[in-house]
Amino acid sequence: MITFAERLQKLPPYLFVDIRQKMAAARERGVDVISLGIGDPDFPTPDPVVETLCNSIQDSDDADRHRYGCDSPVAEFPEAVAQFYQHRFGVSLSDEQIVTTLGSKDAIVKLALGILNPGDIGIAASPGYPTYNIGHVFSSATTYYAPLLRENDFLVDFDLIPVEVKRLAKVLWINYPNNPTTATADLDFFERAVEFGRENNILIAHDNAYSENTYDGYQSPSILQVDGADEVAIEFFSLSKAFNMTGWRLGFVVGNQTAVEAVKKVKDNIDNGSLRALQFAGAKALSIADDVTPKLNEIYQKRRDNVVDALTDSGWDVDRPKATMYIWAPVPEQYNGSSRAFATALLEEAGVVVTPGLGYGQWSEGYYRISLTYPDNVIDEAISRIRTFSTQ
Ligand SMILES: *Cc1c(COP(=O)(O)O)cnc(C)c1O
């Protein structure tokens, strides 16, 4: 009899499974379903990045092009990372402070495996990205969820974390600009986070997946801009959302040298690195950020305005986010805070899929998320259906 390990039995259901089932059932009943559910950019990867990948893989002068990325790393990638951090954030990084990853989701779990022992606590926020908890479960550690509340601008309140939790915690995960709440953090908040880490001997792991997806001229800081941050902090950066490269699986972790080394050690024993052509292409992407980012953000910003205006016109309470490709809003009053009831009604009556807050941990109920990573015509159609739905 083959059975799953306990760690698999402990996992919460994957957030989108329930939605996929409901979508399939609605389609079967003949409902024309459109989704604003998943955050995965609809734009193609920039041409120069694709061209660099193709040229690199075809370059027969590179005798190592087929080899393990960890044994034959491409020096251009960490160089491009260092230049990007210097140029974008004014942060200097040494080689020992940089590790290339197969995207952030992967690296988040690897960091957990590299620093947590059974019985340790990891602090994650709720609502929040589910992978932090999954890293803890895979490491036989437990998760303490710090609530992100709207009245606190969805920022972690460090003063509310219990003493006992602080004593056992080895890592605190933060993520600003935040998925799903769209909240942003200023340098002042990051200073408090670093202070919290220093006082309690807790690694501050900042998941910086959305720093480039910002609007209205807003620029999102890096936690490493805080003086001395690298004593207790690391930052996860991903090329997925910034450069439309979700399927490529490429990112990096920077900052605290011990934590970076922990990720490296786990990687050396599990993944053997990224294809060299991928690393060349990633270096290219980072080098053309100034060109790519403004154009992308202009489109997201327009979509954001269209959706926020439509929801507001529908009489629903919604904020206009200055970052991320999401809208996070309280469910309309008549649903009494049930995100599942609202999402189900919207699906069944309007054929529009949004993500119920519910799946983002114990403090996430009462909200829903809309993703702006769908073509303009899909978003326009969804908006017009939502307008009709809201007047029924
Ligand atoms: C999308 C996302 C990531 C993961 O991106 P990768 O594709 O794994 O690099 C990490 N954190 C958050 C909060 C995300 O939304």
Side-chain angles (χ1 to χ4, degrees):
M1 224 347 221
I2 312 294
T3 54
F4 288 150
E6 278 165 26
R7 70 174 65 84
L8 285 195
Q9 292 165 16
K10 275 190 205 152
L11 294 183
Y14 182 56
L15 185 59
F16 293 105
V17 171
D18 181 51
I19 303 170
R20 277 193 203 131
Q21 282 165 354
K22 284 216 171 97
M23 275 170 78
R27 284 205 173 107
E28 216 145 88
R29 286 199 311 278
V31 183
D32 168 28
V33 178
I34 53 176
S35 173
L36 300 181
I38 292 175
D40 188 348
D42 57 308
F43 310 111
T45 305
D47 287 339
V49 180
V50 176
E51 280 157 21
T52 303
L53 178 90
C54 295
N55 293 340
S56 307
I57 199 72
Q58 289 183 328
D59 178 12
S60 51
D61 290 340
D62 180 1
D64 295 327
R65 63 184 156 150
H66 63 287
R67 290 190 193 279
Y68 288 128
C70 60
D71 296 331
S72 308
V74 171
E76 281 85 345
F77 188 74
E79 278 165 25
V81 168
Q83 267 170 27
F84 177 76
Y85 258 62
Q86 186 67 61
H87 171 69
R88 172 69 178 80
F89 300 115
V91 168
S92 302
L93 297 167
S94 67
D95 280 354
E96 296 73 38
Q97 290 184 301
I98 305 173
V99 54
T100 308
T101 66
L102 316 183
S104 290
K105 190 174 187 174
D106 181 271
I108 285 164
V109 176
K110 283 174 178 156
L111 173 71
L113 292 172
I115 63 165
L116 294 176
N117 292 314
D120 286 345
I121 287 179
I123 304 172
S126 169
Y129 190 59
T131 307
Y132 317 126
N133 171 59
I134 286 164
H136 303 160
V137 171
F138 282 3
S139 314
S140 302
T142 50
T143 302
Y144 172 81
Y145 283 109
L148 301 187
L149 306 176
R150 194 183 192 193
E151 57 264 34
N152 200 20
D153 298 324
F154 298 111
L155 294 172
V156 174
D157 187 340
F158 301 107
D159 295 337
L160 292 184
I161 297 173
V163 175
E164 186 62 10
V165 171
K166 289 193 276 201
R167 201 171 61 74
L168 293 173
K170 292 273 177 61
V171 61
L172 167 103
W173 298 93
I174 49 176
N175 161 229
Y176 295 100
N178 183 266
N179 174 17
T181 70
T182 77
T184 56
D186 54 18
L187 214 47
D188 205 52
F189 172 83
F190 286 137
E191 270 166 20
R192 277 182 280 139
V194 167
E195 187 58 32
F196 175 82
R198 204 178 269 136
E199 271 174 11
N200 298 290
N201 272 318
I202 294 173
L203 175 71
I204 308 299
H206 180 229
D207 180 5
N208 200 20
Y210 295 98
S211 63
E212 306 315 293
N213 306 107
T214 59
Y215 315 114
D216 308 323
Y218 172 70
Q219 286 228 319
S220 187
S222 158
I223 195 170
L224 299 180
Q225 285 171 245
V226 175
D227 274 343
D230 58 5
E231 289 163 35
V232 291
I234 57 169
E235 192 154 82
F236 289 70
F237 191 94
S238 167
L239 278 71
S240 288
K241 317 295 171 35
F243 301 101
N244 309 325
M245 292 174 69
T246 45
W248 295 56
R249 312 313 304 133
L250 191 62
F252 53 88
V253 179
V254 291
N256 180 266
Q257 218 168 297
T258 311
V260 163
E261 207 179 311
V263 175
K264 264 188 202 156
K265 270 191 195 284
V266 176
K267 278 178 61 66
D268 283 345
N269 286 284
I270 296 184
D271 74 35
N272 284 344
S274 302
L275 181 73
R276 282 171 60 82
L278 195 59
Q279 299 182 50
F280 282 115
K284 183 69 185 180
L286 291 167
S287 76
I288 59 170
D290 284 348
D291 198 32
V292 172
T293 307
K295 291 177 196 150
L296 210 55
N297 289 345
E298 197 184 309
I299 305 173
Y300 283 134
Q301 186 174 319
K302 271 197 202 118
R303 291 179 182 176
R304 173 202 67 172
D305 288 336
N306 288 343
V307 172
V308 169
D309 291 346
L311 298 180
T312 306
D313 289 348
S314 300
W316 295 350
D317 176 16
V318 56
D319 295 324
R320 199 175 298 264
K322 56 183 182 194
T324 77
M325 52 260 270
Y326 307 110
I327 307 290
W328 178 253
V331 301
E333 262 167 39
Q334 61 269 37
Y335 297 94
N336 295 318
S338 169
S339 59
R340 191 190 291 271
F342 170 65
T344 304
L346 196 60
L347 171 60
E348 314 234 302
E349 291 165 41
V352 175
V353 175
V354 299
T355 309
L358 196 70
Y360 290 96
Q362 72 189 98
W363 299 97
S364 61
E365 177 57 314
Y367 289 80
Y368 65 98
R369 194 191 77 170
I370 284 178
S371 170
L372 303 173
T373 57
Y374 291 87
D376 291 341
N377 64 325
V378 173
I379 292 181
D380 289 345
E381 171 65 19
I383 285 173
S384 106
R385 292 184 190 188
I386 287 173
R387 284 183 190 276
T388 310
F389 172 85
S390 70
T391 57
Q392 279 165 6

